[in-house]
Amino acid sequence: MQQQRDNIVFVGNKPVMNYVLAVVTQFNNGADEVAIKARGKAISRAVDTAEIALSRFLNGVTKKTISTGTEVIETEDGKTNVSSIEIVLAAPR
Amino acid sequence: MQQQRDNIVFVGNKPVMNYVLAVVTQFNNGADEVAIKARGKAISRAVDTAEIALSRFLNGVTKKTISTGTEVIETEDGKTNVSSIEIVLAAPR
């Protein structure tokens, strides 16, 4: 039914509840897992998104994995490194 | 020799290299593990700290665990929730 690998929420600079709603909606539509991703300063908001979604809205859903990394970004001044995070939430079976 | 559970670096609002230096120093002093902790907006900087320390300074050190949580903070206006992160780095055995 649902597409397994398309359940990704990219967190940016909008209010955190926008992203919480996106995560909750994907689980309500039958997703088994949702990956919350962010880079740079939005990383804090990605953690907020996961914490708020789990504590207020998603009964039984758990944090499956949390990973961090470094991505290389092309800017006008050349290449620069930016940190990234991926938090995967999983529905109960 | 070193105190196992005191190897914690709390990341706040200073420049990221301050925290990178603190982490690297603890490993150079013989620490087996160093925990990088942060709350709120400093979470992004904690991830930067870990990524920079690992990629530029700490050969063989790995990310052992990454965990996130919610802490309750007392403010003048009452209690509020803030997200937290803990990234544990481990030296090779």
Side-chain angles (χ1 to χ4, degrees), chain B residues 71-83:
Chain B
E71 298 182 12
V72 179
I73 304 283
E74 295 271 0
T75 69
E76 290 182 358
D77 302 328
K79 293 180 180 176
T80 185
N81 291 335
V82 63
S83 298

Side-chain angles (χ1 to χ4, degrees), chain A residues 81, chain B residues 16-17 20 24 48 50-59:
Chain A
N81 291 334
Chain B
V16 67
M17 292 309 291
V20 172
V24 172
D48 287 341
E51 291 296 318
I52 293 170
L54 290 177
S55 64
R56 291 201 221 158
F57 299 103
L58 297 171
N59 252 330

